[in-house]
Amino acid sequence: MVTGNSLNVASAPPKASFLLPLVFLWSWDARGQRLMDDYADGNIRKVRSANDWLPVTSSRNAKWWYSAFHNITAMVGAGVLSLPYTMVFLGWGPGIFLLVLSWIITLYTLWQLVDMHESVPGRRFDRYHELAQYTLGEKRGLWILVPLNLTVEVGVDIVYMVTGGQSLKKFHETVCHSCKKYRQTYWILIFSSVHFFLAQLPNLNSVAGVSLAAAVMSLSYSTIAWGACVYHGQLEDVSYDYLHTTPANTVFRVLNSLGVVAFAYAGHNVALEIQATIPSSPEKPSRIPMWRGVIAAYFVTAVCYLPVAIVGYWAFGHSLDDNLLLTLKKPDWLIAAANMMVVVHVIGSYQVFAMPVYDMIETVLVKNFNLPPGFWLRLIARSSYVAFTCFIAVTFPFFGDLLGFFGGLAFAPTTYFLPCIMWLIINKPKRFSLPWLVNW
């Protein structure tokens, strides 16, 4: 007796027995993939249940503006406040040229990632490393991409821990000159306490509100930063000459500046995870709403980056700190507001970059160690990650150098040239054609 289909095999008439395979095939077609998975491998149900729980694949009902919020939050980070400092070592011409060139190149490589998300019919590459494994090989792609991606995501979260504590400290000292000054360590700890609660939000769609607030704050504090520079005006003895130091120091500072520029375009490392939250069908593929969000995000990026870099360098020249808000002193209320906006923004950015890391950790714990998915696993795993990034931030609070280091080491490959390599492998353009030459 097959009770699920109300089909009694034993009582079926002999003349109708030839219909049984047809009935079975009809049932297979109706529930086919589930039946095949259940019979072929008893673990598939568990894997699918885990996928329904994991943060990247648990929710696929995002709108295009979710993509815009998340991309702005991921892209326009604390690195924008260091762009004027890069001009000190790059100069007017090379500095502006590299900012514009990076904007064009990274927009193109981000389009490639969006396009490759569903480049194979019937399959979605929900994570960056899945695309790398498909194009570069299962093991090779994993070993190339995952270390770089983790360096980016964990590195960004550590830098944002430092930035959040730094901005809280600056806010406190700006609004209360007579108050006792506390070490930056305490402010980093205060900043990290928020993330122990936000880390329990299940997926990217659940942090959309936080991401929206962060996106608004990023545009606001960027505007305040360059607006305050205009209000401040040029220093009397402002200088734009190249700094004369030792050759080794000059080379190091130029390379560090290039790393900071690479850090400023950081959204590629979470792009596929963001796109994974958008529903998709053959008639309405996810790349369409995702690309609309990317265009909106890149418009905001240009509005933020170029004025901050150009006006900040114009006002202070060589007197810039590695964080523009640390250079600005007055008006107090405006600088205090901008620092608090930075805090709100990096709270959202931290969670956007942390979500793929949560996904990796929880995937290993659930699928490799067979731990049951649930509240306690999520609480312990994510809280441990927040505590780890807080510890590293307290131990190494070197904001400017961290930007250049992580930008040069991991952002350049994952943002600038790995998408081109994977696009060439998937699309196989004709040798020496324009697409082939551009990507090479």
Side-chain angles (χ1 to χ4, degrees):
M1 178 76 72
V2 183
T3 58
N5 293 325
S6 300
L7 178 64
N8 192 333
V9 176
S11 62
K15 292 181 179 180
S17 61
F18 73 93
L19 295 175
L20 290 179
L22 298 178
V23 173
F24 179 72
L25 287 173
W26 171 83
S27 175
W28 185 292
D29 185 64
R31 300 179 297 164
Q33 191 62 44
R34 181 162 56 85
L35 283 169
M36 182 179 67
D37 290 343
D38 289 344
Y39 287 110
D41 187 350
N43 291 324
I44 295 295
R45 277 186 181 178
K46 183 171 67 174
V47 171
R48 285 191 170 183
S49 175
N51 286 336
D52 291 339
W53 179 79
L54 291 170
V56 170
T57 51
S58 63
S59 177
R60 295 191 189 270
N61 58 0
K63 309 297 183 183
W64 75 266
W65 51 87
Y66 285 29
S67 161
F69 302 157
H70 292 320
N71 277 291
I72 293 171
T73 301
M75 193 74 66
V76 188
V80 65
L81 300 175
S82 292
L83 291 178
Y85 187 63
T86 65
M87 303 281 284
V88 173
F89 305 100
L90 298 176
W92 279 115
I96 296 174
F97 173 76
L98 285 170
L99 280 176
V100 174
L101 181 65
S102 293
W103 188 90
I104 295 171
I105 291 174
T106 56
L107 178 60
Y108 173 68
T109 55
L110 190 49
W111 168 79
Q112 289 180 313
L113 289 177
V114 171
D115 184 64
M116 289 186 290
H117 178 76
E118 294 173 300
S119 56
V120 178
R123 180 174 181 182
R124 298 183 70 175
F125 297 109
D126 295 323
R127 300 162 179 88
Y128 204 164
H129 69 81
E130 292 177 2
L131 179 61
Q133 287 177 278
Y134 177 80
T135 54
L136 305 176
E138 282 293 322
K139 291 186 177 180
R140 186 188 300 115
L142 196 69
W143 283 102
I144 290 175
L145 200 284
V146 169
L148 292 173
N149 220 25
L150 281 176
T151 301
V152 169
E153 290 158 355
V154 178
V156 167
D157 283 341
I158 293 170
V159 170
Y160 284 165
M161 277 283 184
V162 176
T163 306
Q166 201 174 56
S167 297
L168 280 175
K169 182 174 182 288
K170 179 70 172 178
F171 173 81
H172 176 258
E173 293 174 354
T174 303
V175 299
C176 186
H177 296 287
S178 59
C179 294
K180 180 181 177 181
K181 294 184 179 182
Y182 297 96
R183 293 171 55 190
Q184 185 170 303
T185 299
Y186 299 123
W187 296 110
I188 293 175
L189 292 173
I190 292 170
F191 178 78
S192 69
S193 64
V194 179
H195 294 290
F196 285 100
F197 297 97
L198 291 179
Q200 306 314 313
L201 295 173
N203 51 56
L204 274 172
N205 285 342
S206 64
V207 299
V210 179
S211 190
L212 170 60
V216 173
M217 291 299 104
S218 64
L219 181 59
S220 300
Y221 74 70
S222 298
T223 304
I224 287 176
W226 68 260
C229 290
V230 172
Y231 173 84
H232 182 278
Q234 280 184 308
L235 291 178
E236 291 183 3
D237 56 346
V238 65
S239 174
Y240 307 116
D241 295 333
Y242 285 104
L243 293 176
H244 296 289
T245 59
T246 63
N249 187 58
T250 300
V251 170
F252 174 80
R253 290 299 179 183
V254 169
L255 293 176
N256 188 67
S257 298
L258 295 177
V260 172
V261 172
F263 182 94
Y265 297 94
H268 296 59
N269 296 276
V270 293
L272 292 180
E273 285 82 356
I274 293 172
Q275 191 170 351
T277 65
I278 300 175
S280 185
S281 66
E283 298 77 22
K284 295 182 178 179
S286 63
R287 69 175 180 272
I288 297 174
M290 178 67 179
W291 184 240
R292 291 174 66 187
V294 168
I295 291 296
Y298 260 75
F299 173 77
V300 173
T301 300
V303 170
C304 292
Y305 283 12
L306 291 175
V308 170
I310 294 171
V311 178
Y313 184 52
W314 166 82
F316 295 102
H318 293 167
S319 301
L320 282 160
D321 294 301
D322 61 1
N323 185 331
L324 181 57
L325 292 183
L326 297 180
T327 306
L328 292 165
K329 307 295 181 184
K330 295 182 181 298
D332 287 348
W333 65 270
L334 197 62
I335 304 307
N339 276 283
M340 189 50 64
M341 290 175 183
V342 172
V343 172
V344 175
H345 176 249
V346 294
I347 286 174
S349 295
Y350 182 99
Q351 291 303 319
V352 169
F353 277 97
M355 202 63 71
V357 184
Y358 299 155
D359 183 82
M360 288 186 193
I361 295 172
E362 290 165 11
T363 297
V364 171
L365 293 176
V366 171
K367 294 184 179 180
N368 292 18
F369 291 91
N370 296 316
L371 296 178
F375 170 78
W376 289 108
L377 184 145
R378 177 166 286 161
L379 177 66
I380 295 172
R382 297 190 180 188
S383 298
S384 299
Y385 174 74
V386 173
F388 169 76
T389 55
C390 177
F391 172 77
I392 300 298
V394 168
T395 308
F396 304 103
F398 312 115
F399 177 69
D401 291 336
L402 285 175
L403 286 181
F405 172 74
F406 290 122
L409 178 68
F411 281 90
T414 56
T415 299
Y416 287 83
F417 58 82
L418 274 179
C420 294
I421 293 172
M422 292 187 285
W423 190 89
L424 286 168
I425 292 172
I426 287 179
N427 291 277
K428 298 179 174 62
K430 186 178 179 181
R431 185 171 294 186
F432 301 114
S433 64
L434 183 61
W436 188 88
L437 291 171
V438 168
N439 281 278
W440 273 110

